[in-house]
Amino acid sequence: MSFFIIVIISAIVFLTLLYLFFPEQIVLLMRWLMRKRARVERKTVIVDGRTWPYLEGGDPSKPTLVMVHGFGADKDHWTFYAPWLTKDYRLIAPDLPGFGENDRDGELPFDVGSQAARLKAFLDALGIDRPHLGGNSMGGWIALRFAIDYPGALRTLTLMNNAGILGADESELQKLAANRDYNPLIIANLEDADRLIAFVVHKPTFVPARLKPVIYADALKHRDLLDKIFWTIADEMEAKPLNDELGKVTVPTLIIWGRHDKLIDVSCVAVLEKGIAGSTSHIFEHIAHVPMIEDPKATAEVQREFLAKH
């Protein structure tokens, strides 16, 4: 038996043992590999006495691109996407308060305006002036609120399936959330995780059973806080959609959407296009709510082409 075959067999045995007995180490290894591939590293900064963890990659001398995660997500959701951006941009992806490794203080206000103000303080703490800003879902709503509240503070705005807008058609999420006893974006147990993934993406990927307790531990641990945040922004969405404020956005804006989005209906694209002067849009026919994960390369190509013009 050659040395090469012995090494391969040993590696397979080692990974199998990790999977069976130490699934936490498998998930940590996967996260490390994803960050390595994306050319990003974890950093922290103190903002108003609170530690903000974030990922940063790329050349600091290049234009800065800040990407904001959605509800129930975290900074590492951008590691799927980052490999196609960090060659030409300094990429920053923070954990927002209430999510990821950031402060889980349930007494904080989690309305979108408060989160946009905290994001501004985060950028100020890093000395970032007029970055390209983008976000997905709730993060897109925060980015849109930022562009409205801080005119002149951005170079461009990229909205990916952003919340905060009412379209002509109700989404499946809106219909389900009308029943205040049920939160479709919260998982009650591990079996419920498959339902959530199928709700968010068009073609769900397989998650090995041994890894589920690790991958979804955070969502289960902070279930009550996530539920509180969800209904806070759901009420804000119903009472104060940004439809009538879109004319206040003055920066070049790109709108990216997935045709099969069940959370935020694709009819929102027409509202955004009409409301934001000079905006451009791209609708993917094969994906749903998270373009940067479902087809990161194609999504990055659309954003790169847009950013290159500005």
Side-chain angles (χ1 to χ4, degrees):
M1 185 179 297
S2 70
F3 175 75
F4 177 74
I5 295 176
I6 292 174
V7 170
I8 294 296
I9 293 175
S10 299
I12 293 172
V13 171
F14 175 71
L15 290 174
T16 301
L17 290 173
L18 278 182
Y19 173 76
L20 292 174
F21 300 106
F22 303 100
E24 298 88 352
Q25 298 305 314
I26 286 285
V27 173
L28 288 174
L29 176 62
M30 290 168 57
R31 187 174 67 184
W32 180 82
L33 289 172
M34 288 292 290
R35 290 180 180 179
K36 197 74 174 175
R37 175 175 175 266
R39 298 180 294 276
V40 298
E41 60 182 36
R42 180 188 182 278
K43 297 183 178 181
T44 62
V45 63
I46 302 299
V47 184
D48 296 331
R50 184 173 289 111
T51 299
W52 278 57
Y54 64 98
L55 296 180
E56 178 174 356
D59 186 343
S61 68
K62 299 289 180 67
T64 300
L65 170 63
V66 179
M67 299 302 292
V68 186
H69 65 76
F71 174 82
D74 60 51
K75 61 188 178 301
D76 278 281
H77 281 207
W78 296 106
T79 58
F80 297 84
Y81 192 63
W84 290 279
L85 277 305
T86 46
K87 290 182 180 179
D88 299 299
Y89 296 91
R90 176 197 181 195
L91 179 67
I92 303 286
D95 276 336
L96 294 170
F99 303 93
E101 297 179 284
N102 208 317
D103 196 335
R104 298 283 191 153
D105 182 2
E107 298 305 312
L108 287 172
F110 288 104
D111 61 281
V112 171
S114 294
Q115 290 284 48
R118 294 187 194 109
L119 179 62
K120 179 67 164 59
F122 166 75
L123 297 179
D124 289 344
L126 290 178
I128 296 174
D129 181 44
R130 294 190 70 243
H132 299 284
L133 177 64
N136 170 244
S137 192
M138 178 195 72
W141 186 1
I142 292 168
L144 178 58
R145 181 78 262 173
F146 189 107
I148 293 170
D149 290 349
Y150 306 101
L154 299 179
R155 187 173 299 185
T156 68
L157 176 65
T158 299
L159 303 172
M160 296 184 182
N161 296 65
N162 65 284
I165 297 296
L166 293 177
D169 301 318
E170 269 195 326
S171 69
E172 191 171 328
L173 174 62
Q174 286 175 289
K175 295 173 183 176
L176 290 171
N179 175 6
R180 295 294 298 232
D181 295 327
Y182 174 61
N183 185 340
L185 296 188
I186 298 294
I187 62 173
N189 48 55
L190 292 177
E191 291 69 31
D192 201 26
D194 292 334
R195 186 269 314 163
L196 177 59
I197 296 300
F199 189 52
V200 173
V201 304
H202 184 46
K203 295 181 179 180
T205 55
F206 171 72
V207 179
R210 289 288 295 165
L211 301 185
K212 284 185 180 181
V214 182
I215 293 173
Y216 300 113
D218 184 80
L220 292 171
K221 178 181 179 181
H222 299 287
R223 183 174 185 271
D224 291 343
L225 176 59
L226 290 172
D227 190 60
K228 175 183 178 179
I229 295 173
F230 175 82
W231 291 115
T232 296
I233 60 179
D235 289 342
E236 183 176 359
M237 176 75 181
E238 184 176 345
K240 302 176 183 178
L242 296 181
N243 294 49
D244 294 336
E245 295 191 62
L246 295 177
K248 298 177 183 178
V249 178
T250 58
V251 295
T253 300
L254 170 66
I255 305 153
I256 297 176
W257 224 271
R259 176 72 68 184
H260 301 278
D261 194 343
K262 298 176 183 177
L263 281 72
I264 308 170
D265 192 76
V266 70
S267 60
C268 290
V269 173
V271 175
L272 290 162
E273 285 180 320
K274 182 178 179 180
I276 303 176
S279 59
T280 59
S281 66
H282 186 97
I283 298 174
F284 286 105
E285 300 294 336
H286 63 296
I287 57 180
H289 187 64
V290 282
M292 72 288 187
I293 293 177
E294 294 178 78
D295 195 341
K297 184 178 180 181
T299 306
E301 287 175 353
V302 171
Q303 189 180 22
R304 282 171 58 86
E305 182 179 350
F306 165 74
L307 295 177
K309 298 176 183 178
H310 305 285

